[in-house]
Amino acid sequence: MCMMWCCLFMRGSIPFAEFKKCQQEIKKRSEETIKLQKRAKKAGQGTMKQSMYSGSGSNKALDSFNGLVDLKRQLQDKEYEAVRQAMIEERSRFCLFVSCLKPFLVRNTV
């Protein structure tokens, strides 16, 4: 996975700063969500699912978790789009190569 990202960054499909920023935001939100989940559990609410839906200040944990899921989905969408662009670019290069090579092959086979 890392190699794929490196190739995409070298080609300029994805701004590296944007990717790093998104990764840092996900890490920050993830840590925040874990802290909020621990606080909700510590309050003696029982299991995490019960405490998340109980409404006693643990709505922050649920909101944080939902935000984290959204950020991860956005990162996946960006990755998908970057891979798609890279594949399109690679295909266009291949087609150009074949179109340049075809006249040479036709001349040599006749």
Side-chain angles (χ1 to χ4, degrees), residues 48-61:
M48 186 57 211
K49 287 182 181 179
Q50 290 172 348
S51 65
M52 284 175 69
Y53 296 107
S54 67
S56 61
S58 59
N59 284 337
K60 288 182 182 179

Side-chain angles (χ1 to χ4, degrees), residues 35-52:
K35 285 179 184 178
L36 289 170
Q37 288 174 348
K38 284 181 181 180
R39 285 183 196 157
K41 268 189 175 181
K42 210 174 211 184
Q45 299 279 338
T47 65
M48 186 57 211
K49 287 182 181 179
Q50 290 172 348
S51 65
M52 284 175 69

Side-chain angles (χ1 to χ4, degrees), residues 14-91:
I14 301 172
F16 187 70
E18 181 181 342
F19 172 71
K20 284 304 237 182
K21 181 182 175 185
C22 198
Q23 260 190 341
Q24 288 174 351
E25 184 67 26
I26 287 173
K27 184 178 178 181
K28 180 180 156 188
R29 289 271 180 104
S30 179
E31 290 171 355
E32 180 183 319
T33 301
I34 290 171
K35 285 179 184 178
L36 289 170
Q37 288 174 348
K38 284 181 181 180
R39 285 183 196 157
K41 268 189 175 181
K42 210 174 211 184
Q45 299 279 338
T47 65
M48 186 57 211
K49 287 182 181 179
Q50 290 172 348
S51 65
M52 284 175 69
Y53 296 107
S54 67
S56 61
S58 59
N59 284 337
K60 288 182 182 179
L62 182 61
D63 292 341
S64 180
F65 180 74
N66 288 337
L68 181 63
V69 170
D70 289 341
L71 280 175
K72 285 184 179 182
R73 190 172 297 131
Q74 287 174 2
L75 184 62
Q76 280 182 330
D77 291 343
K78 287 178 185 177
E79 179 183 11
Y80 174 80
E81 201 54 42
V83 169
R84 184 175 176 274
Q85 287 297 103
M87 295 301 290
I88 290 170
E89 183 180 331
E90 192 67 30
R91 182 177 176 172

Side-chain angles (χ1 to χ4, degrees), residues 91-107:
R91 182 177 176 172
S92 68
R93 287 181 183 171
F94 179 74
C95 290
L96 178 65
F97 172 72
V98 169
S99 67
C100 291
L101 188 63
K102 188 175 179 180
F104 177 76
L105 292 175
V106 170
R107 260 188 265 141

